[in-house]
Amino acid sequence: MALIVHKYGGTSMGSTDRIRNVAKRVAKWVRAGHQMVVVPSAMSGETNRLLGLAKELSPASVTAEVNRELDMIAATGEQVSVGLLAIALQAEGVQAVSYTGWQVPVSTDSSHTKARIESIDDKRVRADLAAGKVVVIAGFQGIDANDNITTLGRGGSDTSAVAIAAAMKADECLIYTDVDGVYTTDPRIVPEARRLHTISFEEMLEMASLGSKILQIRSVEFAGKYKVPLRVLSSFTPWDIDINEEAKSGTLISFEEDENMEQAVVSGIAFNRDEAKVTLLGVPDKPGIAFQILGPVAEANIDIDVIIQNVSHDGKTDFSFTVHRNDYARTMELLQSTVGPATNAGKVVGDAKICKVSIVGIGMRSHVGVASKMFRALSEEGINIQMISTSEIKTSVVIDEKYMELAVRALHKAFDLDQDAVAA
Ligand code: ADP
Ligand code: ASP
Ligand code: MG
């Protein structure tokens, strides 16, 4: 008997028919003798609908008070899901009980709308499992030290599931979604993308942090820290397929670089439209300038991603960096009102219509010329690169948003990712 955590995303929970299917699938795992914890997301579109209602009443605000209420509102989406799934399981003849985050409790810090899980008390859940019940726990949510309901950021149910699997030392965490695994890139953008049988943990971490929405970055971090066996697979296969076949399907996030791993230099391409670029023109090129600019930005709790400082002419230089698009207006305001004048900058300019496209692969460690191949492929499409950032296993470029899909397709081809998968 194993302890297994299943996570079902919004599309997989998208209608009562689909919820019934989830229940039938989970019931199959119960009949095979497993203890089951199931973490569903809100029904598809529900989180957007709820946040949309809030926005109608408070369009521009991002105050701490508003964020607290956004969590209060958004958390209800998952509360409905867990109740519906528990009922569907009971209808399948399986004992089941549902809990919201606070009932478990899943304890988080107080960063509303992007809270971090700090600890999970599994006493109640273990007692239910021991009593033969399936435990259905709301994804995406928790509670802070002052009993405020918190949410974990968009896509956060992945993190709930992996954190629960880690806390309970589950044998495996299976992430069921609307694609049948992790692909070389988003198959919605490149239909020729192919599924990876395995992806190394480090590559998955980069892919997620560079914008692949298939797994929330923090879920991958948790999996790495606690070595949670993690697999991404389809919830759209018939629920009654052979359980052993199902257990081996999809994509395994692997913690070892074994010889079965697909040996590509570049394993995948990620993209991110959620960034914006800001530039301070004509800042004095002197020691401490980067700190004078970025210090106040960091103090305002704004995350900075790619940074570029040009060579100086006549003692002046241009300094650009990217931030999340949600923080764009706040960053521009900060630069214009305080940082610009304090640093004697000439002018502050911004561009919210950019995107970041990245190639990822552990093979890049041992191969030279990968970045130049990337730049050549982009130049052949006439795409101008605005910023570049590299690490051991990735190269990212910032380009005009309107070329994003073209860039992803061109790179997918240039690195031969369209070809048939190596047999696992
Ligand atoms: P869920 O609601 O199940 O959490 P998401 O929409 O969050 O599902 O994530 C699944 C989606 O991620 C897929 O439908 C696909 O469009 C997108 N995606 C992005 N990058 C990839 C990738 N590399 N491989 C597979 N899917 C990807
Ligand atoms: N329902 C939340 C969202 O839409 C969490 C999730 O689906 O993982 O972001
Ligand atoms: Mg998701």
Side-chain angles (χ1 to χ4, degrees):
M1 181 172 61
L3 170 60
I4 310 279
V5 176
H6 279 191
K7 180 260 172 178
Y8 292 90
T11 319
S12 313
M13 293 289 293
S15 65
T16 46
D17 277 344
R18 289 198 175 152
I19 293 174
R20 192 176 294 116
N21 253 303
V22 168
K24 286 181 189 295
R25 191 182 297 277
V26 173
K28 175 179 76 180
W29 282 75
V30 173
R31 284 195 300 273
H34 300 303
Q35 289 192 318
M36 299 297 300
V37 175
V38 187
V39 180
S41 293
M43 295 170 78
S44 57
E46 186 60 9
T47 310
N48 286 346
R49 188 186 73 83
L50 292 166
L51 294 175
L53 291 175
K55 208 167 177 187
E56 278 177 35
L57 295 170
S58 174
S61 313
V62 278
T63 62
E65 290 75 17
V66 166
N67 281 341
R68 179 191 182 278
E69 305 312 327
L70 290 179
D71 281 355
M72 197 69 163
I73 296 160
T76 63
E78 271 71 11
Q79 180 166 347
V80 171
S81 282
V82 288
L84 290 173
L85 183 54
I87 288 177
L89 282 161
Q90 290 161 10
E92 294 300 320
V94 171
Q95 287 190 67
V97 59
S98 71
Y99 294 119
T100 57
W102 67 264
Q103 287 176 305
V104 173
V106 174
S107 303
T108 72
D109 65 16
S110 300
S111 318
H112 285 291
T113 76
K114 50 181 178 192
R116 281 178 182 273
I117 295 178
E118 289 179 338
S119 64
I120 295 175
D121 182 349
D122 67 353
K123 239 185 273 109
R124 195 168 184 176
V125 181
R126 286 216 181 269
D128 288 321
L129 291 173
K133 292 181 192 162
V134 171
V135 185
V136 186
I137 301 176
F140 181 53
Q141 56 180 264
I143 187 161
D144 77 359
N146 297 316
D147 288 350
N148 297 300
I149 288 175
T150 53
T151 67
L152 311 178
R154 299 308 302 268
S157 297
D158 297 330
T159 302
S160 306
V162 179
I164 288 165
M168 301 195 68
K169 300 194 173 51
D171 294 280
E172 193 162 14
C173 181
L174 302 178
I175 307 283
Y176 287 85
T177 183
D178 57 5
V179 277
D180 63 354
V182 180
Y183 277 65
T184 46
T185 194
D186 189 339
R188 285 183 215 221
I189 302 287
V190 182
E192 296 78 22
R194 60 183 173 80
R195 179 169 60 83
L196 300 162
H197 299 288
T198 58
I199 182 168
S200 74
F201 157 72
E202 286 167 288
E203 287 170 324
M204 193 63 245
L205 198 60
E206 284 286 6
M207 290 281 279
S209 84
L210 294 168
S212 279
K213 302 228 158 82
I214 180 86
L215 285 176
Q216 200 200 34
I217 170 84
R218 286 185 191 159
S219 71
V220 188
E221 286 169 358
F222 261 106
K225 189 162 175 198
Y226 298 100
K227 295 284 172 294
V228 180
L230 185 63
R231 185 178 287 276
V232 176
L233 67 170
S234 173
S235 71
F236 290 161
T237 54
W239 68 265
D240 55 354
I241 60 168
D242 179 68
I243 194 166
N244 297 314
E245 192 188 313
E246 184 175 317
K248 282 188 292 193
S249 66
T251 302
L252 176 73
I253 317 304
S254 162
F255 295 103
E256 292 146 33
E257 292 178 30
D258 63 42
E259 63 273 16
N260 288 329
M261 296 243 320
E262 290 154 50
Q263 297 291 336
V265 179
V266 170
S267 302
I269 297 171
F271 50 85
N272 185 353
R273 294 178 232 251
D274 297 339
E275 291 192 27
K277 184 174 83 167
V278 293
T279 303
L280 278 159
L281 296 168
V283 284
D285 192 10
K286 57 175 197 204
I289 194 73
F291 176 64
Q292 273 184 49
I293 296 170
L294 298 180
V297 178
E299 257 165 50
N301 216 358
I302 296 170
D303 284 336
I304 298 150
D305 187 21
V306 185
I307 304 170
I308 224 171
Q309 181 179 344
N310 288 326
V311 288
S312 57
H313 295 287
D314 310 324
K316 301 252 182 194
T317 183
D318 299 338
F319 193 98
S320 302
F321 57 96
T322 64
V323 294
H324 195 284
R325 224 174 260 189
N326 291 346
D327 292 325
Y328 177 58
R330 219 151 54 90
T331 311
M332 285 297 281
E333 155 68 19
L334 184 69
L335 295 188
Q336 274 154 351
S337 63
T338 47
V339 178
T343 54
N344 287 322
K347 207 172 152 196
V348 180
V349 291
D351 185 357
K353 293 204 161 68
I354 54 125
C355 69
K356 189 172 71 174
V357 176
S358 312
I359 55 174
V360 175
I362 41 179
M364 288 168 70
R365 276 190 195 132
S366 48
H367 285 77
V368 291
V370 183
S372 69
K373 188 170 175 179
M374 178 188 200
F375 305 151
R376 189 176 63 212
L378 295 173
S379 81
E380 280 169 4
E381 298 294 342
I383 299 171
N384 184 40
I385 299 169
Q386 302 179 17
M387 301 167 105
I388 299 170
S389 125
T390 65
S391 76
E392 218 186 7
I393 66 164
K394 72 115 206 275
T395 302
S396 302
V397 294
V398 171
I399 60 172
D400 189 323
E401 182 189 54
K402 68 173 180 269
Y403 298 124
M404 193 193 81
E405 297 193 4
L406 178 63
V408 173
R409 278 197 285 268
L411 293 171
H412 200 264
K413 208 170 177 104
F415 288 100
D416 296 327
L417 296 175
D418 293 2
Q419 289 171 9
D420 286 344
V422 182

